[in-house]
Amino acid sequence: MATATITELSTALPAKLSLNASAPANSDTDTQSRTGFPGGPGLQQPPSERGTDYRYAHLLPVFPKDEHYPPLTPFAHADPGLRALAHADPRAFLQGASTVEITPNLGTEVRGVNLAKLDPDARDELALLVAQRGLVVFRDQQDFIDAGPDFYLEWGRHFGRLHIHPTSGHPEAYPELHLVYKDGASTFNYELHDSLQPTVWHSDVSYELQPPGLTTFFLLAAPATGGDTAFVSQVSLLRTFSPQFRAFLKTLKAVHSGVSQAEFSRAGNRGGVVRREPVENVHPVVRRHPVTGEEALYVNRQFTRRIVGLKKEESDAILNLLYDHIDRSAANQARVRWQPNTVVIWDNRVTAHTAILDYGESKQTRHGARITPQAERPIPAQEGLELDD
């Protein structure tokens, strides 16, 4: 059976996608051997057209060629974490749960909370915890993952206006859901194939005027090993610099651009579509979180292009120093190993992340979904820094 081309995938119904698994999973043991996701139906590699039904076929990526959207318009963002600060107990949603800090600087793992059953107050409290810890990993969330795309949209809208990605795949009829997808024959991820380091540290779509805040992500299929996601705290990372250098960084602003991402798709990669024309926006190099007040570095190698007002050599030297520090600062990083029914929530305002592309030779599939609410326009840590001049 021939694997479907990008053109074929752009118009095919999700259930008809031609994938690369050689045979259906016939038992839990077979499933675990190919994915690392033990358990029942739905936790397996997507099947080929020869095989059995894939539980999450309705969440496979499509790329409609006639899908176009106007430019995004500004909106007023009300951060749910601020509401939680007024609660009698801002951590009430964790009652009865177990929590473990992943690292001192970043990340908390939680068991014993059913995200699918959280009421609005509990969701506000969750937003506050994510703002404070940067990254929260929730295990045992099959109810959430199986709740379906309409629930995902309702969940995301509690935290902000849902973002429609300009180039990525989405489930049919649900453009607000961003999908990552890679199998042994195809990839719809943005990857650096000509680089020694295929990791791409980034804060999601930071080129938007109002980039994302609290973001939810989960895997529907995973390789047996590998495919982890690494995160870095831009808050603790900033603190490692000398006070003088931090003060200098706070005076700077940088251009974030979506142009190269759009060009990558226009060249026939990913899915070959650009739904909304790319934009560039200026953001502070150091931003202030509206809920915690913490200051965070806000540049990333994928989307930040230059520092405003500096000569190219000056800008490149500073940005490369910051990028290298993000890449190499293990003391400020946390790595999430995917387990069945895991939901990861992070705050894009104070973290950066990258997928670990170490599983390609296995020819196995990594299929994930992201719910991406936008937040406020980044607030400069330096009072009086003008972004529009």
Side-chain angles (χ1 to χ4, degrees), residues 101-180:
E101 289 192 354
I102 300 172
T103 75
N105 292 319
L106 176 66
T108 298
E109 182 168 316
V110 178
R111 293 182 185 270
V113 169
N114 187 335
L115 293 177
K117 297 187 180 303
L118 294 187
D119 64 19
D121 282 351
R123 294 182 186 188
D124 291 349
E125 293 159 7
L126 178 150
L128 177 59
L129 177 65
V130 175
Q132 293 168 335
R133 293 295 297 156
L135 161 72
V136 183
V137 179
F138 291 90
R139 305 293 189 184
D140 309 315
Q141 299 299 320
Q142 185 166 358
D143 287 350
F144 185 99
I145 293 172
D146 287 348
D150 290 313
F151 170 80
Y152 304 157
L153 300 189
E154 185 272 330
W155 167 268
R157 289 184 179 120
H158 182 86
F159 303 104
R161 183 177 75 181
L162 293 181
H163 181 259
I164 295 177
H165 198 282
T167 66
S168 71
H170 62 72
E172 182 146 352
Y174 292 95
E176 301 91 345
L177 300 177
H178 164 92
L179 298 177
V180 299

Side-chain angles (χ1 to χ4, degrees), residues 42 117 179 219 314 324 360:
K117 297 187 180 303
L179 298 177
L219 290 186
E314 298 167 339
D324 288 346

Side-chain angles (χ1 to χ4, degrees), residues 49-129:
E49 289 177 345
R50 295 168 48 202
T52 58
D53 290 339
Y54 173 43
R55 186 172 186 171
Y56 301 112
H58 61 294
L59 295 175
L60 286 166
V62 297
F63 297 85
K65 299 298 185 184
D66 58 351
E67 190 176 41
H68 301 287
Y69 295 96
L72 295 176
T73 56
F75 72 101
H77 175 68
D79 199 287
L82 283 173
R83 296 193 292 264
L85 289 174
H87 293 184
D89 178 6
R91 295 173 67 88
F93 85 105
L94 292 174
Q95 289 179 2
S98 64
T99 63
V100 177
E101 289 192 354
I102 300 172
T103 75
N105 292 319
L106 176 66
T108 298
E109 182 168 316
V110 178
R111 293 182 185 270
V113 169
N114 187 335
L115 293 177
K117 297 187 180 303
L118 294 187
D119 64 19
D121 282 351
R123 294 182 186 188
D124 291 349
E125 293 159 7
L126 178 150
L128 177 59
L129 177 65

Side-chain angles (χ1 to χ4, degrees), residues 6 63 65 167 264-274:
I6 287 176
F63 297 85
K65 299 298 185 184
T167 66
F264 182 80
S265 289
R266 284 195 170 115
N269 301 303
R270 199 171 201 175
V273 301
V274 177

Side-chain angles (χ1 to χ4, degrees), residues 267-342:
N269 301 303
R270 199 171 201 175
V273 301
V274 177
R275 301 183 185 89
R276 191 170 58 247
E277 287 304 304
V279 297
E280 295 186 336
N281 280 293
V282 173
H283 298 316
V285 169
V286 181
R287 67 184 295 177
R288 185 184 304 278
H289 196 285
V291 178
T292 66
E294 290 185 313
E295 297 176 357
L297 188 67
Y298 195 64
V299 298
N300 67 89
R301 198 184 292 273
Q302 185 172 3
F303 298 126
T304 309
R305 291 293 170 262
R306 65 186 183 278
I307 296 175
V308 176
L310 298 189
K311 293 184 178 180
K312 183 180 187 304
E313 294 86 352
E314 298 167 339
S315 174
D316 288 349
I318 294 170
L319 288 176
N320 285 329
L321 169 65
L322 301 179
Y323 298 154
D324 288 346
H325 194 34
I326 291 169
D327 292 349
R328 300 170 182 170
S329 186
N332 299 292
Q333 297 174 3
R335 183 161 172 159
V336 175
R337 186 166 191 270
W338 291 96
Q339 298 174 5
N341 303 318
T342 295

